[in-house]
Amino acid sequence: MTDFDVFNGDADGICALTQLRLAEPRESVLITGVKRDIDLLKKVEASRGDRITVLDVSLDKNREDLVRLLGCGAEIFYVDHHFPGEISEDIGFTSLINEAPEICTSLLVNSHLKGAFAPWAVVGAFGDNLDKSALALASSLELDEAQLEQLKNLGIYINYNGYGPTLEDLHFHPDHLYRLVSAYANPLNFISDGREHFEKLETGYHADMTAAANLPPEKESDRTAVFILPDLAWARRVSGVFSNDLTNQYPDRAHAVLTEKTNGNYLVSVRAPLNNRRGAADLCRSFPTGGGREAAAGINDLSADQLNTFIDAFQAQYR
């Protein structure tokens, strides 16, 4: 029997798996990638009796391979908060799926484990820009203000590390970062013991965010803003967390951050207004390679000739 752990390479995926494996250690094959690499089940070759855990990737985007793997006799445990489409009723399939805008995979795992490693769920929620949910959970823990700020920063930095079209753009490969953090039952101990790793993420994050902050918006109104970032490594790394930062600065405004790609197209991150966390998934799914959830979604490859069409649709969505 082989165990496979399949997880998104962002903070939510890494923190969800960290909780599960602290609770139930397994020697598993790790399958992950950059944040936008979500067709992860296609990388799994399983046999009858193998166990597959899938975290923070859309069931709808992995449906064909899910059916294939269940047909092989594998057992699958699926935890996610993205649009799932029809959910399998196969006897070998167990799922915890909740699309609510204030929920993320780390929080679902935390509930599943009855809060056994809640600080990691707080990190995951902060990383997914769910500050309200993170603070609500953190209120049950004995954390001072400085410790809470550390957990928030760690979540942001781990999430930041997942962005970029290739692993070479990242400071840490997500599977390596998972191995580093999952050695600690308490994320505060990782921050203190793994100071060099934390500071590498912190330094990169602030340098990239400073570069992004110097770019003016392409289009801006009271309700929406569109930013276009250049085809440079720092811009590819910062696209998602820059979107989150804008959302927190302007909670009544929707944001679209587009990053130029080497093929002439665009990588798109969309954030609904913080005070109305709806509509991002429907908007992005209306374009090829688009998907996500109500509050935060994206398009992996928006063709250049659809740029104006997208901007018009984005502005109309949040008019």
Side-chain angles (χ1 to χ4, degrees):
M1 183 186 73
T2 303
D3 287 308
F4 297 88
D5 284 331
V6 182
F7 60 104
N8 195 297
D10 69 354
D12 195 22
I14 289 174
C15 293
L17 183 58
T18 294
Q19 293 174 80
L20 280 176
R21 292 297 157 254
L22 286 169
E24 185 183 352
R26 292 182 185 179
E27 289 295 327
S28 63
V29 178
L30 300 180
I31 296 179
T32 187
V34 299
K35 180 178 174 64
R36 294 300 182 97
D37 185 3
I38 58 173
D39 299 330
L40 293 176
L41 283 184
K42 68 182 178 183
K43 301 179 182 180
V44 179
E45 294 296 334
S47 303
R48 181 169 299 279
D50 290 349
R51 297 184 297 184
I52 305 169
T53 298
V54 189
L55 302 168
D56 198 36
V57 292
S58 167
L59 188 157
D60 193 53
K61 297 292 185 181
N62 286 273
R63 184 173 309 282
E64 182 177 337
D65 288 294
L66 176 68
V67 172
R68 171 179 63 84
L69 293 166
L70 288 171
C72 292
E75 297 179 3
I76 299 179
F77 178 48
Y78 212 114
V79 189
D80 188 41
H81 63 131
H82 300 92
F83 172 74
E86 184 178 351
I87 298 176
S88 173
E89 296 182 358
D90 191 284
I91 193 171
F93 184 75
T94 304
S95 66
L96 295 173
I97 296 177
N98 187 336
E99 295 180 78
E102 297 297 332
I103 289 292
C104 64
T105 308
S106 290
L107 293 173
L108 291 172
V109 170
N110 177 69
S111 295
H112 174 66
L113 297 177
K114 297 180 171 53
F117 300 97
W120 278 115
V122 171
V123 174
F126 274 131
D128 232 27
N129 204 38
L130 299 179
D131 288 15
K132 184 177 179 180
S133 299
L135 291 170
L137 179 56
S139 67
S140 65
L141 307 175
E142 294 182 358
L143 298 169
D144 60 34
E145 188 173 337
Q147 290 172 323
L148 186 60
E149 186 69 15
Q150 284 184 306
L151 296 187
K152 180 176 182 177
N153 287 338
L154 179 60
I156 291 170
Y157 301 158
I158 294 176
N159 203 54
Y160 152 77
N161 182 75
Y163 283 91
T166 67
L167 291 170
E168 288 67 35
D169 276 335
L170 310 184
H171 296 293
F172 295 91
H173 286 207
D175 56 350
H176 178 49
L177 186 54
Y178 160 73
R179 288 188 177 96
L180 290 173
V181 303
S182 62
Y184 295 89
N186 189 325
L188 293 171
N189 292 336
F190 165 74
I191 294 172
S192 59
D193 292 355
R195 195 69 201 177
E196 63 182 290
H197 307 307
F198 181 81
E199 289 179 352
K200 182 177 181 179
L201 291 171
E202 184 174 54
T203 299
Y205 170 81
H206 285 294
D208 291 351
M209 286 293 285
T210 297
N214 290 328
L215 290 177
E218 187 77 10
K219 292 182 180 292
E220 185 178 28
S221 72
D222 290 341
R223 295 185 178 273
T224 63
V226 178
F227 291 80
I228 297 181
L229 306 184
D231 179 22
L232 296 172
W234 70 262
R236 294 189 293 267
R237 285 193 299 265
V238 85
S239 60
V241 287
F242 181 49
S243 302
N244 290 343
D245 192 61
L246 289 167
T247 300
N248 293 329
Q249 287 186 59
Y250 305 96
D252 294 316
R253 197 170 74 175
H255 296 89
V257 175
L258 294 81
T259 307
E260 296 174 349
K261 301 177 63 174
T262 54
N263 65 1
N265 294 340
Y266 298 90
L267 178 72
V268 182
S269 289
V270 173
R271 299 293 183 269
L274 195 63
N275 293 332
N276 180 27
R277 301 172 69 90
R278 302 285 178 183
D282 287 343
L283 171 67
C284 291
R285 282 202 298 268
S286 69
F287 291 86
T289 74
R293 50 193 174 87
E294 283 290 281
I299 304 169
N300 286 339
D301 194 48
L302 178 73
S303 64
D305 60 8
Q306 288 190 300
L307 174 61
N308 290 331
T309 301
F310 166 77
I311 291 175
D312 289 344
F314 169 69
Q315 292 176 323
Q317 179 78 22
Y318 296 106
R319 181 169 296 134

